[in-house]
Amino acid sequence: MKKTIRDYDLNNKKVIIRVDFNVPIKDGIITDDNRIKESLKTIKYAIDNNAKVILMSHLGRIKEESDKEKNSLDIVAKRLSELLNQDVVFINETRGKKLESAINNLKPKEVLLMENTRFEDLDGNKESGNDKELGKYWASLGDLFINDAFGTCHRSHASNVGIASNIENGIGFLVEKEINNLGVLNNPERPFTVILGGAKVSDKIKVIENLVNKADYILIGGGMAYTFLSASGLPIGKSLLDSENIEFAKTMLDKYPDKIILPIDSVNGKDISHGTEVSECFVSDMKDDMIGLDIGHTTIKLFKQYLSDSKTIIWNGPVGYTEIEEFSNGTKSICEILKNLDAIKIVGGGDTAAAIINLGYKDYMTHVSTGGGASLEFLEGKTLPGIEIISDK
Ligand code: ADP
Ligand code: MG
């Protein structure tokens, strides 16, 4: 068990919290402030416990000087201040006298946000490369470090691993929630079913390898299903084929014939575009010019049988090409099935989370992970460096 913010006395302490304020911004406006809202619990806890709160986050990627202007955390500070209903001191620096004196002037319950940690990347990738000196310097600004940015936990950066290597540390409420929820796969109530979709098999090989040993069933949809169907000798037309991984798919099907469940029918397009000619057929009847873009009605019924009995369900990867309406029915139908199920329902992966939120089903899930890449690596069974570095209880 990792230490958490609750394990420390925060009174009058300078508490550095690494949050994930990597929000989408268009024309100078935050288009989705969910990530800021998700961080409030930890920030408010620190305020309520009389901490001097120092917040750090990255925003976008900083490759050249001109990336700085549109990736300043300035407007995030304003939004945060509204959400907290108190002033937030914004310092447009990531190091130096101005930042240091502002921190030293903080009183308990005050909140400071420093500039985008990735501004340090302009000077030799110091943040993303976990520069030792930078991690040590940032650590010197506070008494305690709390990592609450799940979305970057799969990366070893100066603002997470670097700081944590130098001072006392713990995780925040958001990271704790992610670990507890995604962690169900290590001790699931059974039957435990995994829904796996998305584009390519190659993106999900490690997820399959890790989960095939833990799950009772793996229901495969999305683009990757067609490589599995091809591996079992079926025609797939012009559907996505990951030819390098046909052997892998064959091995999995041979080894786990009752565990891996493939679609039995497919919704197809002539092209991958809105308004294209759409057809539906059994997977044995796919024609040469068809592109398989969603699971069919019979498959949905089949998947429903497995899901209805399940006690734990993990879902990664949309089962169809949800960006185009005509091919979003499978994913919508799975949402609808899960909605009414009394089971633990965990969703991981950036595009999957986005699809479920857009379709309006977030509230029916036990947990929708906030960290795309990080949740995927968790499902791959990897240890995440940003969590690994945090002290055990
Ligand atoms: P996540 O980000 O949740 O891990 P992925 O990135 O693996 O999910 O999968 C999302 C992508 O999979 C989407 O861009 C979607 O269009 C694509 N996809 C789903 N079904 C198909 C299909 N039948 N053919 C091609 N691409 C597909
Ligand atoms: Mg993705």
Side-chain angles (χ1 to χ4, degrees):
M1 287 277 269
K2 293 295 174 187
K3 282 197 172 176
T4 81
I5 191 168
R6 288 191 304 274
D7 294 313
Y8 292 97
D9 174 14
L10 308 184
N11 187 30
N12 210 17
K13 297 265 169 58
K14 288 181 278 184
V15 180
I16 302 174
I17 309 177
R18 173 57 162 103
V19 286
D20 183 357
F21 285 162
N22 186 29
V23 289
I25 294 173
K26 213 177 163 210
D27 303 324
I29 290 166
I30 299 169
T31 53
D32 178 359
D33 63 1
N34 215 30
R35 285 195 165 145
I36 307 177
K37 287 181 178 152
E38 297 264 10
S39 71
L40 292 178
K41 189 170 175 193
T42 300
I43 298 171
K44 281 186 176 155
Y45 179 89
I47 296 170
D48 289 345
N49 284 278
N50 278 330
K52 302 168 177 175
V53 183
I54 305 158
L55 302 176
M56 305 177 76
S57 176
H58 77 286
L59 176 61
R61 289 215 174 110
I62 308 295
K63 293 242 156 68
E64 47 199 65
E65 197 62 34
S66 60
D67 292 330
K68 278 177 147 182
E69 200 186 318
K70 61 178 186 296
N71 286 305
S72 171
L73 283 171
D74 194 359
I75 63 167
V76 172
K78 292 194 183 97
R79 183 71 191 118
L80 176 65
S81 160
E82 288 165 11
L83 290 167
L84 283 174
N85 205 11
Q86 78 170 61
D87 282 345
V88 171
V89 180
F90 176 68
I91 301 295
N92 63 347
E93 305 281 348
T94 49
R95 62 168 85 209
K97 284 264 147 21
K98 184 171 155 190
L99 176 65
E100 291 157 25
S101 67
I103 288 174
N104 290 327
N105 286 332
L106 280 179
K107 296 188 186 67
K109 295 186 187 291
E110 287 185 348
V111 176
L112 176 148
L113 172 64
M114 74 165 78
E115 186 53 284
N116 186 350
T117 55
R118 290 208 180 145
F119 280 20
E120 291 282 343
D121 280 353
L122 279 183
D123 181 19
N125 264 358
K126 287 208 160 79
E127 152 74 324
S128 300
N130 189 14
D131 176 75
K132 287 228 157 57
E133 177 272 332
L134 181 59
K136 209 170 171 177
Y137 169 69
W138 277 341
S140 76
L141 301 174
D143 304 311
L144 170 67
F145 173 68
I146 296 298
N147 188 5
D148 209 24
F150 183 69
T152 48
C153 280
H154 60 315
R155 302 278 182 243
S156 192
H157 289 173
S159 66
N160 57 9
V161 173
I163 304 180
S165 312
N166 287 287
I167 45 172
E168 281 198 299
N169 54 63
I171 53 175
F173 293 109
L174 184 60
V175 169
E176 188 183 30
K177 188 170 101 185
E178 292 279 2
I179 304 178
N180 288 345
N181 278 299
L182 291 169
V184 300
L185 65 92
N186 294 318
N187 192 13
E189 227 189 296
R190 292 182 186 277
F192 169 30
T193 301
V194 175
I195 308 164
L196 215 50
K200 292 180 292 189
V201 178
S202 56
D203 293 338
K204 300 289 158 80
I205 286 185
K206 294 200 193 87
V207 179
I208 298 172
E209 283 174 338
N210 183 38
L211 294 183
V212 82
N213 294 309
K214 296 178 170 151
D216 297 300
Y217 301 106
I218 299 193
L219 315 178
I220 296 188
M224 61 188 275
Y226 298 91
T227 299
F228 278 87
L229 292 168
S230 177
S232 54
L234 289 160
I236 60 161
K238 290 198 290 179
S239 312
L240 199 61
L241 176 66
D242 195 346
S243 45
E244 280 175 19
N245 289 303
I246 295 183
E247 278 313 308
F248 169 79
K250 265 190 193 143
T251 312
M252 286 294 130
L253 291 170
D254 285 347
K255 229 171 147 183
Y256 305 100
D258 302 325
K259 207 177 247 199
I260 295 180
I261 313 298
L262 298 181
I264 47 184
D265 60 352
S266 169
V267 176
N268 318 300
K270 263 233 145 71
D271 303 290
I272 307 183
S273 64
H274 181 59
T276 188
E277 194 181 308
V278 180
S279 63
E280 185 164 347
C281 68
F282 285 106
V283 289
S284 51
D285 297 331
M286 295 265 308
K287 303 280 182 304
D288 288 350
D289 63 343
M290 290 174 173
I291 311 172
L293 294 169
D294 197 6
I295 54 174
H297 286 86
T298 323
T299 305
I300 294 168
K301 278 193 196 134
L302 175 73
F303 283 7
K304 187 176 180 178
Q305 285 173 10
Y306 286 95
L307 294 169
S308 298
D309 290 337
S310 299
K311 289 276 184 299
T312 307
I313 297 161
I314 288 189
W315 185 2
N316 169 250
V319 294
Y321 205 103
T322 49
E323 293 92 331
I324 296 175
E325 232 229 285
E326 288 94 322
F327 308 109
S328 62
N329 181 58
T331 302
K332 240 184 255 171
S333 303
I334 301 277
C335 283
E336 202 50 44
I337 294 166
L338 295 189
K339 175 180 171 179
N340 300 310
L341 281 187
D342 181 21
I344 294 170
K345 300 166 271 187
I346 311 284
V347 177
D351 292 297
T352 321
I356 281 157
I357 292 167
N358 290 339
L359 292 168
Y361 286 88
K362 183 174 186 245
D363 292 345
Y364 300 108
M365 305 297 159
T366 312
H367 179 68
V368 177
S369 177
T370 52
S375 62
L376 208 57
E377 292 202 13
F378 202 105
L379 299 181
E380 290 174 352
K382 287 188 186 151
T383 50
L384 309 183
I387 295 171
E388 195 61 15
I389 191 75
I390 301 297
S391 312
D392 289 311
K393 283 199 193 191

